[in-house]
Amino acid sequence: MNSYRHFYVDNQWQPVTGTSLIKLVSPVTEQQVGELLSCSKADVDAAIDSAHRCFPRWAASSIEQRERALTALRAAIAKRTEQIVASLVTEVGVPVWVGRSMQVPMPLANLDAIIEGLHQLKWEETIRTSRVVREPVGVVAAITPWNYPLHQIVAKVAGAIGAGCPTVLKASEVAPGAAQLFMEAVAEADLPPGLVNMVWGGAEVGEWLVSDPRIDIVSFTGSGPVASRILASTAGSLKRTALELGGKSAALILDDANLDAAVPMIVRRCMNNSGQACVAQSRLLTPRHLQDEVVQRITAALAEWKLGDPIDESTRLGPVANARQFDSIDRHIRAAVDAGATLLAGGAGRAPGFERGYFVAPTVFYDVTRTMQLNCEEVFGPVLAVMPYDGDDDGIELANATRYGLSGAVWSASESRAMNAARRMRTGQVILNGAPPNPASPFGGFGQSGFGRENGRFSIEAFLEYKSIQQ
Ligand code: NAD
């Protein structure tokens, strides 16, 4: 059983002085697999203090020093790949395959893009008579979720290092193993004392952190309701905030699309990580006359998405992370049935064949309409909504008919038609014909998917201010 009882401050592991214990439960067996001791307010103070002391020194560091720090950190993380994968399997039920192919490679690719970004940024320029310089914003509070825990930590902490900012990280209390191993990599990379600090805990610790006046910017990835609380807590001090929130991303199939390629890829980008991805393509929009054919192809594609024990290397789909997640997904599925959506596969309750564990069968509804909850609310589970539309304009309007705007996809045999549709989608990214992700491009949302951008040089820019020196 893993026991997380030390926080990281001033380049040292210190015993947590808080008394509140959080239990970690296996999503497979529902038995306890670990525990985490929440930091006290004094621990949080010590971490902020350490970051605050480090700020002047690291703000003055050279680009070469920042590159050396990030390169050392990357090597120390890569060494820990198998340990990180093992912790994700145990604590959040991530299949080994997802851990090895996505959960670790993605942040490493992002670190490479952040290192490249150091050299892409215009750190100084002359505009008419002014010298315009980019300067670090100050001490960063980084608050991250559990679904791609290492990726979200790296996107923030590596960006802050590149910008010249120290960080206090409060990682998710649901997936502490990835954060612990990340901090062990920080320790091995021999960074300056106070550059990266970490505290353990949940909402209370997060509140202490974001409301402290020594924090200059809060970079948060998580849910909308928590983001609203953070905005309320930081409003008084007018602190900078960057928010990466949820999504309800649409994959828009145009009537000339290659369905052989489109349907399996959309199913994959919905079901991956058991649908627990902010960019999950959870709505498939199809021309009405193609819906029956699309539905048949989905049935065939689902054959690849068998549920199983995440530790088994052949498992593609594991359980969802915890009981809270299971109950919430279950409520969404029941609401879709009640609203009259047609169930094609899966359904509410524990998946057949499992006596315990938070296993949700991959679930697909069709004939989903725009007023149904399934079109409007993020499920954050393996649930796909197939929605018919009539004509390109209607399809694009349907794609935009949510309060979110994180990601989307377009499938068409015509590059210009696909590009035209992409330009009309109100989302921070659009993927054409299943293109691979590009960690050097900006990532973030429109609407209630948040504000701010990260990844590559944008992870650095998130923590920079402009200064104009008139001469
Ligand atoms: P969450 O909002 O419940 O928690 C996120 C983090 O905030 C955790 O570390 C949590 O301890 C902390 N927190 C909770 N209450 C707080 C408070 N009052 N003050 C400060 N911190 C507080 O989200 P989650 O369940 O961990 O993650 C799932 C959500 O994250 C989904 O909505 C998903 O779409 C979103 N997400 C977004 C992105 C993105 O990049 N846009 C990526 C991954 C996940």
Side-chain angles (χ1 to χ4, degrees):
M1 196 167 91
N2 280 328
S3 186
Y4 304 96
R5 290 170 170 267
H6 290 81
F7 70 116
Y8 195 79
V9 56
D10 250 334
N11 275 12
Q12 278 171 0
W13 291 102
Q14 298 282 355
V16 166
T17 66
T19 52
S20 158
L21 259 184
I22 298 172
K23 242 186 174 185
L24 302 170
V25 171
S26 158
V28 175
T29 64
E30 301 181 39
Q31 301 298 307
Q32 187 172 358
V33 283
E35 61 181 21
L36 172 152
L37 195 55
S38 268
C39 281
S40 65
K41 182 131 192 333
D43 299 339
V44 175
D45 273 353
I48 299 173
D49 224 41
S50 152
H52 201 63
R53 280 196 308 276
C54 173
F55 178 58
R57 178 177 164 201
W58 193 249
S61 61
S62 66
I63 300 305
E64 291 67 35
Q65 282 171 308
R66 296 178 196 177
E67 179 164 5
R68 271 199 299 280
L70 290 171
T71 306
L73 181 58
R74 190 205 186 282
I77 295 172
K79 250 169 78 176
R80 291 168 169 76
T81 297
E82 283 305 310
Q83 283 168 278
I84 295 167
V85 170
S87 85
L88 295 171
V89 171
T90 308
E91 292 174 359
V92 263
V94 168
V96 169
W97 167 71
V98 177
R100 286 194 189 138
S101 64
M102 270 166 272
Q103 292 267 6
V104 182
M106 206 160 69
L108 292 179
N110 196 10
L111 249 164
D112 291 336
I114 291 171
I115 292 169
E116 264 172 54
L118 281 171
H119 303 286
Q120 292 163 351
L121 263 156
K122 234 185 219 175
W123 291 94
E124 287 203 23
E125 61 184 310
T126 300
I127 302 178
R128 292 192 179 178
T129 56
S130 302
R131 195 78 192 134
V132 176
V133 297
R134 315 287 319 257
E135 292 199 351
V137 61
V139 177
V140 175
I143 301 190
T144 55
W146 48 264
N147 61 323
Y148 279 85
L150 181 67
H151 170 64
Q152 287 122 4
I153 290 170
V154 164
K156 297 183 189 316
V157 177
I161 293 173
C165 298
T167 304
V168 180
L169 167 67
K170 194 213 77 62
S172 169
E173 67 279 26
V174 176
Q180 171 78 26
L181 288 157
F182 172 81
M183 293 310 298
E184 288 176 13
V186 163
E188 184 180 309
D190 198 24
L191 306 179
L195 183 55
V196 185
N197 309 274
M198 187 202 55
V199 292
W200 292 125
E204 187 181 36
V205 169
E207 296 265 359
W208 289 334
L209 185 57
V210 302
S211 50
D212 191 288
R214 291 165 296 174
I215 296 292
D216 296 290
I217 183 166
V218 177
S219 178
F220 170 78
T221 297
S223 62
V226 173
S228 296
R229 296 216 43 179
I230 289 176
L231 285 178
S233 306
T234 54
S237 59
L238 298 175
K239 214 164 264 173
R240 279 138 188 70
T241 46
L243 306 174
E244 299 286 349
L245 312 177
K248 192 75 212 180
S249 301
L252 175 64
I253 294 183
L254 298 183
D255 58 13
D256 61 350
N258 173 352
L259 296 184
D260 287 341
V263 173
M265 182 61 91
I266 297 167
V267 169
R268 176 183 182 140
R269 288 190 168 165
C270 176
M271 298 299 168
N272 250 340
N273 211 39
S274 296
Q276 301 165 125
C278 52
V279 292
Q281 291 175 11
S282 53
R283 294 184 299 147
L284 184 158
L285 314 190
T286 171
R288 193 175 300 278
H289 70 279
L290 292 178
Q291 181 172 246
D292 287 350
E293 193 180 342
V294 163
V295 158
Q296 274 177 21
R297 285 166 188 266
I298 291 173
T299 307
L302 283 176
E304 267 194 41
W305 294 91
K306 294 242 161 37
L307 274 169
D309 191 328
I311 199 131
D312 179 341
E313 295 196 11
S314 67
T315 293
R316 288 285 170 274
L317 198 63
V320 299
N322 51 43
R324 186 176 140 215
Q325 201 53 31
F326 181 90
D327 292 343
S328 154
I329 297 165
D330 200 59
R331 279 195 299 275
H332 280 286
I333 295 174
R334 289 176 199 279
V337 171
D338 291 347
T342 311
L343 184 65
L344 173 71
R350 183 182 286 125
F354 292 88
E355 277 164 19
R356 58 191 178 169
Y358 307 122
F359 288 93
V360 178
T363 296
V364 180
F365 288 97
Y366 62 100
D367 276 333
V368 174
T369 63
R370 69 189 66 199
T371 54
M372 289 182 189
Q373 181 180 310
L374 205 53
N375 178 50
C376 307
E377 304 286 330
E378 182 184 51
V379 176
F380 222 55
V383 181
L384 178 64
V386 178
M387 308 183 68
Y389 68 84
D390 303 294
D392 288 11
D393 287 349
D394 186 43
I396 290 161
E397 199 190 301
L398 188 54
N400 290 335
T402 80
R403 60 197 160 94
Y404 296 108
L406 191 58
S407 187
V410 181
W411 290 83
S412 169
S414 152
E415 251 176 58
S416 61
R417 254 181 105 194
M419 185 56 82
N420 182 37
R423 287 185 191 280
R424 294 173 65 192
M425 278 166 85
R426 302 278 304 154
T427 57
Q429 68 163 336
V430 185
I431 300 161
L432 303 189
N433 292 322
N438 172 6
S441 69
F443 179 83
F446 284 27
Q448 291 193 18
S449 291
F451 41 80
R453 293 292 181 270
E454 54 190 23
N455 289 358
R457 83 171 154 86
F458 304 91
S459 274
I460 305 174
E461 282 193 283
F463 303 117
L464 293 176
E465 294 279 22
Y466 280 104
K467 180 191 276 180
S468 296
I469 304 171
Q470 328 297 4
Q471 49 191 347

